Amino acid sequence: MSLLEKIPMKYLSLIILVIQNSALVLVMTQSRDILPRYATSTAVTLSELAKLIICLCMHIRDELNTKGHVKPRELFSEIFGRDAWKLMIPAGLYTLQNNLQYVAVTLLDAATFQVTYQLKILTTALCTVIILRRSLSLKKWLALVILTVGVVLVQFPTKTSTTEDKRNQKLLGLATVVCACIISGLAGVYFEKILKGTRASLWVRNIQLSFFSLFPALFLGVLWMDGDSVLTNGFLYGYNIYTVMAIACQACGGIIVAIVVKYADNILKGFATSISIIVSSFFSIYLFDFHITLLFIVGSSLVIYSSYMYGLDDSKKPATYQPVDTQMENLENDEFTLKVEENRPSA
């Protein structure tokens, strides 16, 4: 028996999630630091295409294991059923969110981006309260306040970023992250609302999301926003090994989160996110000459603690369906889908 086989699945999946979370922000930052810079819309498009292929292969494998065959007509009907169109709105929102992530890592250092992006917990919670009329416990509200204070502390300027240009760049990066978090919260809540009670499998929902994401990614992103650059320089202009790694990390991210939710729980997932922040900050020192300050340590510690605190189950009732806090990565949308699957009878 190999060493990997001896590790329980929930801990193995958490290790993979830590590596993926840490690697994603680091390789995205590194890929954007190399000139000439590639068009972010092309990277998002390829990421969604890769995710579509992966999920389609996984769904076909499951069909072969359960039915012993795959009929193209049945497969087409299952994927493009009567409620498939509902995924168009969250798919468009997640596509915009993914593009904003690339812009944010261009403007911010990896560690600051990783910490600030945890604001998605706050935006998702607020969207859940406002749109779904769901109440939060006092403990969760306290966690959200601590989270906000931590992010504010991380944003304080340092001695290395006192110039006007760097201050403006950091402010723009912060605004970009906030927009991405708001979109993530809206998409996650909308995704929850339309999928609650549906019977589609995890892979089918991810296929639908990736398929509908390709249209805004390709037509609005590649052709409309970056059309001139792509036509002049080519689709893969500015690509490097780190760009390929970032695309791979984004494509696999949501699937890894889904596996973690299946074998672990929110507390352990929050713990993995906290470790990812620490790992990203550590490597940022050596890779990007990042200077850690006392305010950053205090702020990131508050963010880590609030993420853990928010993930705690504050009820004494047996575990039931929990609303999404979203994702992920990229694509946190996958996490909710699996939670729905786990809390209803099999199809």
Side-chain angles (χ1 to χ4, degrees):
M1 181 180 292
S2 64
L3 178 61
L4 289 178
E5 292 176 339
K6 295 180 180 179
I7 302 176
M9 189 60 192
K10 69 176 181 178
Y11 295 117
L12 180 60
S13 60
L14 285 172
I15 293 172
I16 296 174
L17 180 61
V18 169
I19 295 174
Q20 188 272 337
N21 276 351
S22 304
L24 176 59
V25 65
L26 292 173
V27 296
M28 283 178 68
T29 303
Q30 184 66 32
S31 70
R32 299 297 290 168
D33 280 349
I34 299 176
L35 298 177
R37 287 176 177 162
Y38 56 90
T40 59
S41 58
T42 62
V44 173
T45 301
L46 291 179
S47 176
E48 291 301 328
L49 180 61
K51 185 180 174 185
L52 173 63
I53 295 173
I54 293 172
C55 293
L56 183 60
C57 291
M58 296 300 293
H59 179 62
I60 292 175
R61 186 204 64 171
D62 287 351
E63 290 290 289
L64 290 173
N65 290 337
T66 56
K67 300 179 181 178
H69 66 273
V70 176
K71 295 182 179 180
R73 181 174 296 181
E74 291 181 1
L75 184 63
F76 183 87
S77 177
E78 188 176 10
I79 295 174
F80 300 104
R82 60 182 181 180
D83 66 340
W85 64 270
K86 296 180 180 179
L87 276 296
M88 295 176 65
I89 294 178
L93 291 174
Y94 281 123
T95 302
L96 178 57
Q97 173 199 341
N98 290 336
N99 276 281
L100 289 175
Q101 286 184 44
Y102 276 97
V103 176
V105 297
T106 307
L107 299 170
L108 299 173
D109 56 79
T112 302
F113 168 79
Q114 182 85 315
V115 174
T116 309
Y117 194 59
Q118 300 311 308
L119 277 175
K120 65 180 182 283
I121 299 175
L122 172 63
T123 57
T124 303
L126 293 177
C127 289
T128 300
V129 171
I130 296 172
I131 299 175
L132 299 183
R133 307 288 183 179
R134 212 177 263 143
S135 60
L136 298 179
S137 67
L138 181 60
K139 180 188 294 184
K140 290 191 182 295
W141 280 117
L142 179 59
L144 294 175
V145 172
I146 296 175
L147 172 69
T148 306
V149 172
V151 171
V152 170
L153 291 178
V154 168
Q155 299 305 318
F156 270 83
T158 63
K159 294 180 180 179
T160 59
S161 61
T162 53
T163 64
E164 186 68 24
D165 289 341
K166 288 187 176 182
R167 282 198 298 267
N168 292 337
Q169 178 176 313
K170 191 169 184 178
L171 184 60
L172 182 59
L174 174 61
T176 305
V177 173
V178 171
C179 289
C181 290
I182 293 173
I183 293 172
S184 176
L186 288 172
V189 170
Y190 182 86
F191 194 56
E192 173 180 350
K193 190 172 183 179
I194 65 174
L195 292 187
K196 198 171 184 180
T198 60
R199 302 187 65 83
S201 71
L202 164 70
W203 303 120
V204 168
R205 285 310 186 191
N206 278 283
I207 292 170
Q208 292 169 338
L209 271 177
S210 297
F211 177 80
F212 288 120
S213 294
L214 287 174
F215 291 95
L218 184 60
F219 292 104
L220 296 181
V222 176
L223 296 181
W224 185 51
M225 291 180 57
D226 300 314
D228 293 339
S229 174
V230 172
L231 290 175
T232 303
N233 302 312
F235 191 89
L236 301 180
Y237 176 74
Y239 271 50
N240 51 68
I241 184 61
Y242 300 105
T243 312
V244 177
M245 293 170 64
I247 293 171
C249 284
Q250 273 204 322
C252 298
I255 300 171
I256 293 173
V257 169
I259 295 174
V260 170
V261 173
K262 180 176 181 179
Y263 291 101
D265 53 32
N266 273 341
I267 297 176
L268 289 177
K269 188 174 74 68
F271 183 66
T273 302
S274 302
I275 296 177
S276 301
I277 293 175
I278 297 173
V279 172
S280 299
S281 302
F282 177 78
F283 279 98
S284 293
I285 298 174
Y286 297 97
L287 295 176
F288 311 115
D289 195 28
F290 176 66
H291 298 275
I292 291 184
T293 64
L294 179 60
L295 282 177
F296 181 87
I297 294 175
V298 174
S300 57
S301 298
L302 290 176
V303 169
I304 290 172
Y305 175 72
S306 63
S307 301
Y308 168 80
M309 184 178 176
Y310 189 86
L312 290 175
D313 184 8
D314 49 16
S315 68
K316 296 182 180 180
K317 299 178 181 179
T320 56
Y321 166 79
Q322 297 291 328
V324 289
D325 292 333
T326 64
Q327 144 242 177
M328 251 52 234
E329 68 325 14
N330 191 40
L331 301 184
E332 295 73 0
N333 41 341
D334 303 314
E335 176 183 352
F336 168 75
T337 308
L338 186 57
K339 287 183 179 180
V340 173
E341 287 296 308
E342 291 178 333
N343 287 279
R344 69 170 182 279
S346 301

